[in-house]
Amino acid sequence: MSKVDNRFKTVFTVAVTWIILISVAMVYLHFAAQHRQAQRELIYIKATQEAAQQRRERQLEYEKRRREAQLRREYNQGQVVGSVSLSAQP
């Protein structure tokens, strides 16, 4: 009977040890997957923010160029009108 009890204890100890090892591995893999997912989300958020910043910068640059072109047109129209009116005067 003692041999059976010792064998049962050994099998039980080995089984419990394997269960603990597998549980630790599963917990590690779970947290590693969560960490990777968090890193992917962080990269996505940063990329989204960078894209929005670039869109804002492009919009501001477009507005600046549009305003400069408008001012240039107004200046050129003033030049042409001014020179025509000067030459038309006696």
Side-chain angles (χ1 to χ4, degrees):
M1 208 44 122
S2 176
K3 267 184 157 179
V4 172
D5 287 341
N6 283 339
R7 185 171 290 244
F8 180 73
K9 285 181 184 178
T10 304
V11 169
F12 181 75
T13 304
V14 169
V16 169
T17 303
W18 273 107
I19 290 171
I20 290 172
L21 289 174
I22 290 171
S23 298
V24 168
M26 294 299 290
V27 168
Y28 171 77
L29 291 174
H30 174 71
F31 283 113
Q34 279 187 333
H35 179 71
R36 284 191 307 271
Q37 180 64 27
Q39 291 297 323
R40 283 192 293 268
E41 289 175 7
L42 184 61
I43 289 169
Y44 174 77
I45 290 169
K46 285 181 180 179
T48 303
Q49 289 174 345
E50 187 176 328
Q53 178 65 27
Q54 289 175 353
R55 279 193 303 272
R56 284 191 296 273
E57 289 173 0
R58 280 195 305 266
Q59 182 65 28
L60 289 174
E61 185 64 30
Y62 170 75
E63 291 294 328
K64 181 181 172 185
R65 282 184 281 139
R66 191 179 65 77
R67 179 71 180 145
E68 288 174 351
Q70 180 183 359
L71 291 173
R72 197 175 301 115
R73 280 192 305 271
E74 289 174 3
Y75 176 77
N76 289 338
Q77 287 174 356
Q79 285 279 64
V80 170
V81 170
S83 65
V84 169
S85 63
L86 286 176
S87 63
Q89 290 180 352

